[in-house]
Amino acid sequence: MRFFRRLFGSLFLAFGTLLLAVGVVFAVGDIARSLAADALRLLPVGEALALLGIGVDPAATGSATVAVSYAAISGWSVAITAGALGVLFLLLGRGPRRVRRDALR
């Protein structure tokens, strides 16, 4: 059981680090775009997926829940979304706190 806990913890840490790095990259791009346009410009998730060539057609799944979820998420900022998910996965992947009981002995 400890093997699987460590395996999934390591995977969560790696995936969280990757998402945090993606968030930082898109945040730097958003800052550069905002400075160039002299206004706040955040790249939404829908545009980022289109730029990466990932075609997402929520109507093809036939599920209204997927379509509504994609419509809501596609307007969020990539930098904020990836950063928040990265921090969440990093928190999920860290080990439990070890309590030192030296003072009680």
Side-chain angles (χ1 to χ4, degrees), residues 27-102:
V28 168
D30 286 345
I31 291 170
R33 248 187 320 282
S34 296
L35 288 175
D38 202 22
L40 183 61
R41 298 253 318 135
L42 299 175
L43 186 67
V45 172
E47 286 182 30
L49 290 176
L51 285 174
L52 294 173
I54 301 172
V56 178
D57 187 16
T61 61
S63 173
T65 306
V66 173
V68 170
S69 299
Y70 179 74
I73 292 172
S74 66
W76 295 353
S77 168
V78 177
I80 296 170
T81 304
L85 285 175
V87 169
L88 176 72
F89 277 105
L90 285 174
L91 289 175
L92 287 174
R94 75 181 188 136
R97 292 182 130 193
R98 295 179 189 223
V99 179
R100 293 186 57 178
R101 299 182 186 252
D102 291 338

